[in-house]
Amino acid sequence: MRTTVGIIGAGPAGLLLARLLHNAGIDSVVLESHDRAYVEQRQRAGILEQGTVDVLRAAGAGERMDREGLRHDGIELRYDRKRHRVDFPALTGGRSVMVYAQTEVCKDLIALQLKEGGPLLFEAEALAVEGADTDSPSVRFRHEGREQVLECAYVVGCDGFWGVARKAVPAELVRVFERTYPFGWLGVLADVPPSHDELVYARHDRGFALLSMRSPSVSRLYLQVPEGTDAGDWTDEEIWDELERRFETADGWRLERGPITQKSVTPMRSYVHEPMRHGRLFLAGDAAHIVPPTGAKGLNLAVGDVVTFARALTYAKETGSDALLDAYSETCLRRVWQAERFSYDMTTMLHPAPGAEPFDDRLQLARLDRIARSRAAETDLAEGYTGFPLDDGRVGPSGEGNHGPA
């Protein structure tokens, strides 16, 4: 089997890349180790930045998102029983975010790929990327009980942290930067309408809490818990009681309860793999970087990576120049590190650390109070939350990169 771009992984990054390449007249093959039902059901991120929304619309994948997604023009910060709303459009020139689950993004992109795009092979396990530093890399994979080889001009690894793509980069060329946090998130899905119409980020002495949603009738809520917590150790009543404590306000706001249908614990870590390119192998999404979920950046960073690659390959096709492909890693990493910085700031501002001293608690409250009282600090949060500009790798007259819509 032969194609121009071999894409490993049919998560939102791999599927969106296939769509962008199709629209640019570039052929691709997508290999996904799981079956279609698994991809369309796995619960992941639910917040789309303004740039991600724009890209999905431009790619022809925004119709159902615009019909069923929930546009949010702000978030609420809670601390010391006080409430402060951050108004995104007023602070960013009109930018907002969209609540639309990753599962739904995948469903939309899978339908488009199967209808209009190139091959999308489910239950096709990538075994290795070979010849990454040559002009003809390949992906060895197993599908329908036999081993096959996908010959490519380029390979893009969208196969997550545990995938095979990153392993093809020689260890001596790699630098890894990471931080593990001593707490996680106990997340629940509940069949109850959200108790607030926007996301609520609550800092409490007992730990962080987040009120989110998947739809007008399904709430998604999170509690900070110690690292290594087993979700089964918490009863439904204990979860609701703790959420009530952490969301408590001086004005009598109430949290609505309902049946909990799912619970799990998400570990918290920051991770960056440099470089994001080796020869004709390009890494995207969790294969190259992970952020704690506090800043809602993971899915959006992956979108930025594949948009950068698609633009670079289209530029090479149109001009014969590999300049943007050569700049891929540097271009992506500028945005990645801004997202890492933002996610770290949000995490350390809102999560009391185990063993924290009163001085640390007061600093967190001071940081939150600064946002509530300073338009400059509030604008910095709003700009980071709604998404950093996507540098396309070309240098403008000022010596800085040009920025696109993502």
Side-chain angles (χ1 to χ4, degrees):
M1 188 181 296
R2 183 184 299 274
T3 190
T4 301
V5 182
I7 301 171
I8 308 175
L15 291 166
L16 176 59
L17 176 57
R19 180 67 183 173
L20 295 173
L21 295 175
H22 170 78
N23 290 348
I26 299 170
D27 62 292
S28 68
V29 173
V30 183
L31 305 175
E32 167 57 45
S33 60
H34 297 95
D35 62 23
R36 180 177 179 177
Y38 178 90
V39 175
E40 293 185 339
Q41 293 171 9
R42 56 186 168 190
Q43 292 291 331
R44 294 290 189 273
I47 304 295
L48 307 183
E49 295 174 353
Q50 180 70 65
T52 298
V53 170
D54 294 343
V55 166
L56 289 170
R57 287 173 178 157
E63 181 181 351
R64 194 165 70 93
M65 174 189 69
D66 284 329
R67 186 173 66 249
E68 300 179 12
L70 306 174
R71 172 181 163 141
H72 280 202
D73 287 336
I75 58 172
E76 183 172 288
L77 299 176
R78 293 191 185 179
Y79 61 101
D80 212 15
R81 302 184 73 215
K82 295 182 289 189
R83 305 169 66 177
H84 176 76
R85 181 177 184 267
V86 180
D87 186 331
F88 293 155
L91 296 163
T92 64
R95 294 169 71 83
S96 62
V97 298
M98 183 81 76
V99 176
Y100 191 63
Q102 174 176 313
T103 50
E104 306 309 311
V105 174
C106 286
K107 288 175 186 175
D108 297 342
L109 290 169
I110 286 171
L112 284 170
Q113 183 71 7
L114 294 177
K115 180 181 179 182
E116 304 173 5
L120 166 54
L121 305 182
F122 291 104
E123 298 181 87
E125 180 188 6
L127 303 174
V129 177
E130 299 172 338
D133 55 353
T134 71
D135 291 338
S136 53
S138 62
V139 182
R140 189 160 45 84
F141 68 101
R142 184 182 295 111
H143 184 237
E144 296 180 341
R146 63 189 185 92
E147 204 168 290
Q148 303 181 53
V149 175
L150 175 63
E151 298 177 348
C152 319
Y154 306 91
V155 176
V156 182
C158 305
D159 52 343
F161 182 78
W162 301 106
V164 302
R166 192 175 66 251
K167 298 173 184 176
V169 183
E172 62 271 19
L173 302 180
V174 173
R175 294 190 70 192
V176 168
F177 305 85
E178 58 186 326
R179 171 155 297 175
T180 302
Y181 299 87
F183 43 76
W185 278 9
L186 170 61
V188 301
L189 278 175
D191 285 339
V192 60
S195 299
H196 193 63
D197 56 2
E198 293 178 334
L199 272 69
V200 177
Y201 287 77
R203 187 269 174 205
H204 192 278
D205 289 344
R206 294 176 63 91
F208 168 75
L210 172 61
L211 186 157
S212 182
M213 63 281 294
R214 282 293 177 263
S215 73
S217 60
V218 177
S219 293
R220 182 73 161 151
L221 304 112
Y222 298 92
L223 285 170
Q224 176 185 346
V225 293
E227 181 183 19
T229 293
D230 184 341
D233 292 341
W234 286 71
T235 67
D236 292 3
E237 185 177 4
E238 287 172 336
I239 291 171
W240 287 118
D241 288 347
E242 191 62 26
L243 286 166
E244 279 193 350
R245 291 188 193 99
R246 298 188 192 184
F247 285 125
E248 183 182 12
T249 62
D251 62 4
W253 177 92
R254 289 181 58 82
L255 177 69
E256 298 298 327
R257 301 188 178 206
I260 291 176
T261 59
Q262 184 185 112
K263 49 176 108 163
S264 61
V265 173
T266 301
M268 306 279 281
R269 64 188 303 227
S270 302
Y271 174 92
V272 180
H273 178 285
E274 295 186 5
M276 289 176 58
R277 176 204 178 185
H278 172 59
R280 292 195 169 211
L281 167 65
F282 298 77
L283 304 179
D286 286 359
H289 43 73
I290 293 172
V291 289
T294 324
K297 289 283 163 273
L299 167 60
N300 297 290
L301 274 183
V303 168
D305 294 342
V306 298
V307 169
T308 299
F309 177 80
R311 286 180 178 174
L313 188 56
T314 302
Y315 182 78
K317 176 186 174 185
E318 293 173 348
T319 68
S321 170
D322 285 344
L324 298 189
L325 288 168
D326 292 340
Y328 171 82
S329 183
E330 181 183 357
T331 301
C332 289
L333 285 169
R334 277 195 291 270
R335 193 164 183 266
V336 166
W337 277 111
Q338 285 301 319
E340 291 282 356
R341 187 270 309 169
F342 177 79
S343 300
Y344 174 82
D345 286 349
M346 289 283 285
T347 301
T348 56
M349 178 174 68
L350 293 164
H351 293 73
E357 299 179 355
F359 182 84
D360 303 309
D361 296 336
R362 287 293 188 269
L363 283 181
Q364 287 185 323
L365 294 173
R367 291 166 69 185
L368 287 159
D369 204 44
R370 172 68 176 168
I371 292 168
R373 295 174 182 271
S374 165
R375 187 176 178 87
E378 193 178 27
T379 299
D380 184 61
L381 187 153
E383 289 179 345
Y385 199 96
T386 56
F388 299 104
L390 183 63
D391 180 350
D392 70 4
R394 285 175 283 189
V395 177
S398 67
E400 298 182 353
N402 296 323
H403 299 307

